[in-house]
Amino acid sequence: MAVAAYTLWSAEGSLALTALSHLILFDSLGAMLCVVVDILGNFEVWKRSSIRHPFGLERAEVLAGFAMSVLLLFMGLDLISHNLQHILERLGEHEAHHAHSHERVSAGEVDSAALLAIAATLVSAVLLKNHARIGKAMRFAYIESLPSVLGNPSHFLTISCSLIMLLLPLLSIEPYRWLDRLLSTTIALAMCTLGFRLVTNLGFMLLMSYDNSHAVGDVMRDIESDPSVTGIEDARFWQVHYGLCMAGLRLRVRGSEEGLARLRERVQGLVRGRLAGGYGGGGSRWEVSLQMDMDRF
């Protein structure tokens, strides 16, 4: 939080530093949430189910993550509107109602803010495991092969933009302004993309749904292809929170008791094996409820 405040204080005259301060603020809120959840996780009431909270209080973390993702989306939109305002002020023929400073930020302030952002991101990612759980809801295939820190889109964006920002003091005035605007626009668009993806995925989680229809379709086809299955009466898949996914299936079957026992194991293996790679996978526990009705004809 202190790094975000310092970056914002140093951002006078740099749109890119302003955007970076918003991104660091999101990271700091995520770190605070991780610390709170880790502390509450030591208490039995956090995971204990009750009539009012059948899955414990762990869904509160999903709700907090949803609020953070909405904030991230709105911060991105605010940065876009700020950039548009600067462009219109330069293109307009009249003097802006609110004067903005366009002086160049000193090299020391840019370097110190960028280096502090990188250090704070690495510390929160490695020591606090910041965004480790919420990051499961915003995976991108093209960066998943990177190391664990960079495999998280939020950390990747913060570190990469901070490294590019170290080049700003080396540029002359005009290239500096263009790169500053380009970085700010890139960060703003990335924040909107990440925010929208998080809002969508966490919204599905809060609604007790599962947003991976392709993988679910593959599982359903594999189950239907089993010779012991004559039909699927009902199938529901949903994610409760970051650590728990559930599947409920009702099948119409035929065969011996031994064959049905093998079918039960196969269905559970298919669900856990195929869907563990979807959003919320990678450590999530799958609970499979299977009801089998004998087909007498």
Side-chain angles (χ1 to χ4, degrees), residues 36 51 75 90 105 109 123 151 153-154 161 168 178 183 208 215 231 233 235 245 252 264-265 268 271 281 291:
V36 171
I51 296 177
M75 286 194 299
R90 289 183 173 275
V105 182
E109 290 180 337
V123 169
S154 178
C161 290
L168 287 177
W178 280 107
L183 271 177
M208 300 286 284
E233 296 289 341
C245 300
R252 195 168 62 250
R264 182 180 296 274
E265 293 179 359
Q268 292 177 346
V271 171
Q291 179 181 346

Side-chain angles (χ1 to χ4, degrees), residues 218-229 251 259-274 288 290 292:
D218 290 342
V219 170
M220 298 294 288
R221 282 190 291 272
D222 285 344
I223 294 175
E224 286 180 325
S225 66
D226 193 286
S228 299
V229 178
L251 308 179
L260 295 182
R262 284 197 299 267
L263 174 64
R264 182 180 296 274
E265 293 179 359
R266 181 171 183 266
V267 169
Q268 292 177 346
L270 280 173
V271 171
R272 290 168 180 157
R274 293 290 183 86
V288 183
L290 184 60
M292 295 187 291

Side-chain angles (χ1 to χ4, degrees), residues 235-238 245-249 271 275 286-290:
R236 299 180 184 275
F237 300 83
W238 62 93
C245 300
M246 302 186 72
L249 298 101
V271 171
L275 301 183
W286 273 92
E287 291 187 0
V288 183
S289 176
L290 184 60

Side-chain angles (χ1 to χ4, degrees), residues 80-287:
I80 291 176
S81 82
H82 202 62
N83 288 336
L84 290 176
Q85 183 179 355
H86 274 260
I87 293 174
L88 292 176
E89 285 179 2
R90 289 183 173 275
L91 296 179
E93 297 178 356
H94 61 282
E95 185 178 354
H97 294 294
H98 301 282
H100 289 273
S101 174
H102 299 285
E103 296 180 0
R104 178 169 177 166
V105 182
S106 67
E109 290 180 337
V110 174
D111 290 343
S112 59
L115 292 175
L116 282 174
I118 295 173
T121 301
L122 292 176
V123 169
S124 66
V126 176
L127 298 182
L128 299 178
K129 305 297 182 183
N130 188 14
H131 299 315
R133 288 180 289 269
I134 198 174
K136 299 173 186 176
M138 55 176 181
R139 290 180 173 179
F140 291 88
Y142 44 84
I143 63 173
E144 279 190 344
S145 59
L146 296 175
S148 57
V149 174
L150 296 178
N152 186 297
S154 178
H155 298 152
F156 176 81
L157 181 62
T158 304
I159 293 176
S160 59
C161 290
S162 298
L163 290 174
I164 296 175
M165 238 171 255
L166 294 174
L167 300 176
L168 287 177
L170 306 178
L171 303 176
S172 58
I173 294 296
E174 197 58 30
Y176 166 87
R177 287 178 177 173
W178 280 107
L179 182 58
D180 185 68
R181 295 172 194 161
L182 179 62
L183 271 177
S184 176
T185 304
T186 302
I187 294 174
L189 292 175
M191 289 172 69
C192 289
T193 303
L194 292 179
F196 179 78
R197 183 155 185 171
L198 277 172
V199 166
T200 303
N201 290 350
L202 296 181
F204 274 108
M205 206 180 297
L206 289 173
L207 294 174
M208 300 286 284
S209 182
Y210 188 75
D211 185 28
N212 197 339
S213 57
H214 178 72
V216 170
D218 290 342
V219 170
M220 298 294 288
R221 282 190 291 272
D222 285 344
I223 294 175
E224 286 180 325
S225 66
D226 193 286
S228 299
V229 178
T230 59
I232 299 178
E233 296 289 341
D234 189 23
R236 299 180 184 275
F237 300 83
W238 62 93
Q239 184 162 12
V240 179
H241 50 73
Y242 300 123
L244 177 63
C245 300
M246 302 186 72
L249 298 101
R250 182 180 178 186
L251 308 179
R252 195 168 62 250
V253 299
R254 62 187 175 190
S256 63
E257 291 294 333
E258 184 179 351
L260 295 182
R262 284 197 299 267
L263 174 64
R264 182 180 296 274
E265 293 179 359
R266 181 171 183 266
V267 169
Q268 292 177 346
L270 280 173
V271 171
R272 290 168 180 157
R274 293 290 183 86
L275 301 183
Y279 91 81
S284 296
R285 185 178 77 258
W286 273 92
E287 291 187 0

